[in-house]
Amino acid sequence: MSAVPHPANPHSPLPPGSTFTPGDWQLLARQWHPVANASKITGAPSKATLLDEALVVYRVKGEVVVARDVCPHRGVPLSMGSHDEEGVVCPYHGLRFGAGGRCNRIPSSPNQAIPAKLNLATYPAVERYGLVWVCLAPDADSPAPLPVMPHWDDAGFQQINCPGFDINGFAGRQVEGFLDVAHFAWIHTDTFADPDNQLVPDYTTVETEHGFRADYISSVSNYSEGFRHLAPADFAWLRRFETHLPFTASLTIHFPGEQRLVILNCASPVSARKTRLFVPIARNFNLEQPVEEVHAFNLCIFEEDRAMVELQRPERLPLDMALEAHIPADRSSIAYRRGLKKMGFGEFFLV
Amino acid sequence: MIDAMSRQGAGNVAVELMRADGAALPAFEAGAHVDVHLPGGLIRQYSIASPPADRSRYVLCVRREPASRGGSASVHERLRVGQALTISTPRNLFALMPGGHHVLVAGGIGITPLLAMAHQLLAGGASFELHYYVRSRQEIAFLRQLQGELGDRVHLHSAEEGRDARQVLPGALDGAGNDHQLYLCGPAAFMDHITAAAQARGWDASRIHSEAFAPVVPVPSADAAAQDAAFEVQLASSGQVYCVPADRTIAQVLGEAGVPLSLSCEMGICGACLTDVVEGMPDHRDSVQSETEKAGNRQITVCCSRSRSPRLTLAL
C-alpha cells in the first residue's frame, strides 16, 4: 500500500483533522464509498465529505467529477461556486474547472497558458446503482471492487434511490444494525415487524470473497403495517444478507412467489462519528406505487434505527469480542466484526 | 414426512422427505445440510443430495456406519416410510463459490452434498466435473443419476479396481486455472490427502472447500458433555499442567486457577476466547471458526471446545 501525500500536507497522507487513525484511514481510503445520489448531480457543484475529506462533486458534459473542495489558487470551497457548460467557477476569482478537474479558464489573464498546478486534486469516481462512488486512495496493486447489488439491472425490476440520510454515529455501528435480525420486534414494530414475534431462528454465515452471506428464514413478514393480511399463513420469509466489507450490505427479501425486494445499505463514512446512508432499492412488484411512498416508508425505518445507533457506546465498533456480550442471534454481527478484523482494521475500531 | 426410502448401493439408504401437506420446502443451496431429529432423541446433520431447483423434496443419504454413535443405526433401523420427522431449515457451510471450473471430489457417502452441487452447476450451465471414490462399485449411491443426466462429467474410481485416491488423482488438479474451485467431501484422511495433493500442485487454500461428514455441533448439549473424557491443558508460558475433567470446560478450569482469559458469549459463537494452540489436536465445539480455520487447528475456543489428544498446549 502506497501512502500518497495529502495535497494539503506533504508530510501526511491524511486529510487535515482526520478522526481516524492513519492505519485505519489508509485501509478505508482504498475502498469505494458512495458520496451522492447520481441524479442529484446535475452540473452545479455539490458538497460532500468522505473520511473527513471535503469534496466537491459536479458534472460536466455528462461526466461526474469528484475533487477536493478547495480551489488550488486561494483555497476557497468550489462547492460555493457556480457553473456553466464548461465547468464549475470559483466564486473568488472566477477560475473555472471542467472535465477531469482541469482548469480551463483564468478570467484575469485569459491568454496565459494554464499550469498543471491549477488543476483540481481529483479522485476516481464511478456511477453505479444510482450513486456516485469514490475511492480516495486506490491501491494500484489490488484495486478494490465495487459492491454487487442483486437484481438492480434485471428485467422487470424498478430502481429507486432513497434520499441520503444523515446519522450522527459510526458507519460500522449502522451496518451491524442493518445485519441484526433480533431487533426487528423491538424497533421496527411501527413499520414492518411484529412485537409478538421475537424469536430468532438459528442461522449461519458463510464467508464470501468480500465479506459473508447469511440466509435468515423466519416468520417475520416484510409487509408494512396495514398490509400484513397479504402475508400467506406459514410463509417462510427468506432474507438473504450479503455483506461487502467494510460498509455495504445487501438484503434480498423473498416475498411470496417470484417477488423480490433488494435493499442495498451503503453507509458512507463522512467521519468517524458521522455517516451518510445511501439506500438503492430494486423490486419487481408494487411498481405502480409512487416512489415518494417508498422513500417515506424507508425514512421511518432509518429513523427507528438511528435512534439506537446514535446512542450506542462505545461509539466505535469493538472488534475485540470480549468488549461486548454476544448472543446466538448475533452470528452476523460476529462475522461482520471478524471480517473487519481480518481486513486489518485496528485501533480506531477498538481492538 | 418420509415419502420414500431406497437402497443406494451396499450399505447406504436414501431418505426422501416431503412436507405432509405437499407444500414447497424452504429453498436451499447445493452443499446445505439439515439437522434431523432422529427417533431416540439424537440430532444429526445430513447433507441434501437432491437438486436445489426441486423444492418438493429433500433427499438425504446415510451410510450404515459399523462404529455408529447411534445416528446411522437409527436411520437404518428405525425410520420407515410415512413416518413424520422434525428437521431444521437448511443451513449451508459448504457453498459453491464463483469460478470458471468446479472440481467435485467425493469419498464414499461424501457424494451427497456434491451431487446437489453437480445438479446446481448443471442447471446453471457451469463447467464442472465430479470424481467419486468408492471401495467397490457395489457401494455407489445414486448410480442411475450419475450415469444419466450427469453423464460424462462423472468419473467413478473404485479401489477394488486399483483406483483409490492414493493411486489415481483427478487430472484436473494439475495445471488448474486461478478461478478453478475444488470441493471435497469424505473421510478426513481422504480429504487431507486430496488437499495436500492440490496444494502441492499450486492450489491455494481459498479455492479448496471441504466438508467433513459430521459437522461440529454448535453448542454441546448436557448429554454430549457427559460423554466427554478428561484431558490435560498445558500453558506454554509456565509449563503448568491442568486437568480438564469431563464435566468442566477449559475456561472454567483455567479461570479458577487464575489464568487471565478473554471470555464473552461462553458458547462458542463470538470468538472472544480464541487462543493459539501450540501442540495437540483440538476437538472444535465452536461455531465461530470457519471449516478451514478449524481444519488448520491453529486456534481453539476455550469456552466450549475440548481435546482429541490427551494433552493440549496453549499459548497462554
Side-chain angles (χ1 to χ4, degrees), chain B residues 24 29 43 51 62 100 113 136 138 142 169 193 207 209 250 256 258-259 303 312:
Chain B
E29 272 190 352
I43 301 174
V62 180
S136 78
Q138 291 155 3
F142 303 111
L169 282 168
H193 175 69
R207 292 188 291 116
H209 318 282
I250 301 174
E256 278 168 24
V259 178
C303 69
L312 267 187

Side-chain angles (χ1 to χ4, degrees), chain A residues 202-209 213 215 217 234 236 238 240 320-322 324-328 331 334 338 342, chain B residues 19 26-27 29 89-93 95 97 218 262-265 267 269-272 274 287-290 293:
Chain A
D202 197 18
Y203 67 98
T204 54
T205 60
V206 179
E207 212 174 319
T208 57
E209 199 177 351
R213 182 176 67 225
D215 280 352
I217 301 171
D234 297 330
L238 169 62
R240 165 166 288 194
D320 176 346
M321 304 312 274
E324 287 186 324
H326 308 280
I327 54 180
R331 287 189 194 281
I334 291 160
R338 277 171 58 84
K342 219 182 220 178
Chain B
R19 274 179 55 138
E29 272 190 352
T89 51
R91 288 185 291 168
N92 201 353
L93 302 173
M97 296 291 159
S262 172
L263 289 177
S264 182
C265 72
M267 52 181 137
I269 60 169
C270 80
L274 278 168
S287 57
V288 64
Q289 295 192 87
S290 67
E293 287 170 322

